[in-house]
Amino acid sequence: MDDGTTSNSAREVAVVDSSMAVKKKAMEVSPDLKGTSIFLVGMKSSVKTNLGKLLAEVLRYYYFDSDSLVEEAGGGASSGKSFRESDELGFCESETEVLKQLSSMGRLVVCAGNGAVQSSTNLALLRHGISLWLDIPLEMVTRDLIQDRIQFAASEEISNLGSYSEVLTQVTDLYNELRGGYATADATVSLQKVAAQLGYDDLDAVTREDLILEVLNEIEKLTRVKKMMEAATRPF
């Protein structure tokens, strides 16, 4: 009779195997990456934040959240929101300055705020590194907003954290506004696609390790193409 110990042990082995696979893939990718910074774009969510931190850890990069840096420059989260409301142009200039500083550095994983995809200047700054669109289902983004009201309380983009349907409507409107900017990223990593590839019906079954492997695979493809292009332009 199975008392749950066997299934728990199997899960633990699976986690260890996934972690080892992530570390192995990171070691394979790192040499060709050559310290190039990585910018993650997409709707703000705990999935995006957690993935960014893990990616930085396995690549031995530094992690930054561009929204947090803009807020710090404005005197904190609440001050940053007031700054945006009273001087939108100044706030946008602050966003650009933060991205300019980050894009001039190497070995960074940056969770980029939505301002990064809302102007041609900021989009050009992302070209200094590799940009990846982490596409998370809007229902999960909405659930994040509702469950973590403190983290998102100062959000300038979602003004009313009311009922689920009200928040989902705002999230959907924001997504439709920004998806064109997200789509300019060098590659897209879709949580739904990863779940389908792994045969998961439940999206919550997708682990950070599952997603990070997909991210590393996309980075590997991009660096391989860049390497081939560089080889093709060398004189015989």
Side-chain angles (χ1 to χ4, degrees), residues 4-40:
T5 304
T6 301
S7 58
N8 286 339
S9 297
R11 280 195 292 270
E12 289 170 4
V13 170
V15 169
V16 171
D17 288 347
S18 295
S19 297
M20 292 299 295
V22 167
K23 290 177 181 177
K24 183 175 182 292
K25 177 58 70 174
M27 290 177 65
E28 293 172 356
V29 169
S30 289
D32 288 334
L33 194 54
K34 297 177 181 178
T36 302
S37 291
I38 299 163
F39 295 90
L40 300 178

Side-chain angles (χ1 to χ4, degrees), residues 134-137 140 189-207 209-212 214:
L134 186 59
D135 193 9
I136 307 296
M140 294 182 74
V189 173
S190 164
L191 188 145
Q192 286 179 305
K193 182 180 176 181
V194 172
Q197 290 172 341
L198 295 172
Y200 295 153
D201 294 326
D202 182 3
L203 296 182
D204 287 322
V206 178
T207 65
E209 287 76 18
D210 293 331
L211 273 179
I212 213 78
E214 184 68 14

Side-chain angles (χ1 to χ4, degrees), residues 67 70-71 74 76-95 113-116 118 122 154-158 174 177-178:
D67 273 350
V70 173
E71 288 171 359
S78 58
S79 297
K81 184 179 181 182
S82 298
F83 179 24
R84 171 185 279 272
E85 292 172 347
S86 62
D87 184 5
E88 187 172 355
L89 178 60
F91 187 90
C92 291
E93 289 174 348
S94 181
E95 283 184 306
N114 287 328
Q118 289 180 296
N122 293 349
S155 173
E156 73 286 347
E157 296 158 326
I158 305 299
L174 181 61
E177 178 186 335
L178 297 169

Side-chain angles (χ1 to χ4, degrees), residues 35-48:
T36 302
S37 291
I38 299 163
F39 295 90
L40 300 178
V41 301
M43 298 290 284
K44 185 173 184 178
S45 69
S46 60
V47 175
K48 180 183 172 187

Side-chain angles (χ1 to χ4, degrees), residues 29-229:
V29 169
S30 289
D32 288 334
L33 194 54
K34 297 177 181 178
T36 302
S37 291
I38 299 163
F39 295 90
L40 300 178
V41 301
M43 298 290 284
K44 185 173 184 178
S45 69
S46 60
V47 175
K48 180 183 172 187
T49 300
N50 292 335
L51 185 138
K53 290 178 178 178
L54 180 59
L55 183 60
E57 180 184 327
V58 298
L59 291 176
R60 297 184 178 181
Y61 273 28
Y62 296 99
Y63 171 82
F64 287 101
D65 183 300
S66 66
D67 273 350
S68 295
L69 293 176
V70 173
E71 288 171 359
E72 287 175 16
S78 58
S79 297
K81 184 179 181 182
S82 298
F83 179 24
R84 171 185 279 272
E85 292 172 347
S86 62
D87 184 5
E88 187 172 355
L89 178 60
F91 187 90
C92 291
E93 289 174 348
S94 181
E95 283 184 306
T96 299
E97 184 58 35
V98 164
L99 285 173
K100 189 179 296 182
Q101 292 180 23
L102 292 173
S103 65
S104 69
M105 303 164 67
R107 303 192 69 82
L108 302 182
V109 172
V110 179
C111 268
N114 287 328
V117 300
Q118 289 180 296
S119 79
S120 56
T121 299
N122 293 349
L123 286 170
L125 291 171
L126 298 187
R127 295 298 173 197
H128 288 263
I130 290 173
S131 57
L132 298 169
W133 174 14
L134 186 59
D135 193 9
I136 307 296
L138 301 186
E139 293 79 8
M140 294 182 74
V141 174
T142 300
R143 188 178 66 194
D144 251 13
L145 283 165
I146 292 173
Q147 289 180 347
D148 197 348
R149 292 172 183 265
I150 294 176
Q151 180 184 347
F152 294 100
S155 173
E156 73 286 347
E157 296 158 326
I158 305 299
S159 58
N160 176 25
L161 293 182
S163 68
Y164 176 87
S165 60
E166 289 171 336
V167 177
L168 179 59
T169 297
Q170 291 184 79
V171 166
T172 302
D173 290 343
L174 181 61
Y175 174 83
N176 289 334
E177 178 186 335
L178 297 169
R179 66 182 301 172
Y182 294 154
T184 64
D186 296 313
T188 300
V189 173
S190 164
L191 188 145
Q192 286 179 305
K193 182 180 176 181
V194 172
Q197 290 172 341
L198 295 172
Y200 295 153
D201 294 326
D202 182 3
L203 296 182
D204 287 322
V206 178
T207 65
R208 289 192 310 166
E209 287 76 18
D210 293 331
L211 273 179
I212 213 78
L213 275 173
E214 184 68 14
V215 166
L216 290 169
N217 284 330
E218 290 298 331
I219 291 172
E220 185 176 46
K221 291 177 190 175
L222 291 167
T223 54
R224 188 183 299 140
V225 169
K226 182 180 179 182
K227 197 174 180 180
M228 290 172 60
M229 291 176 65

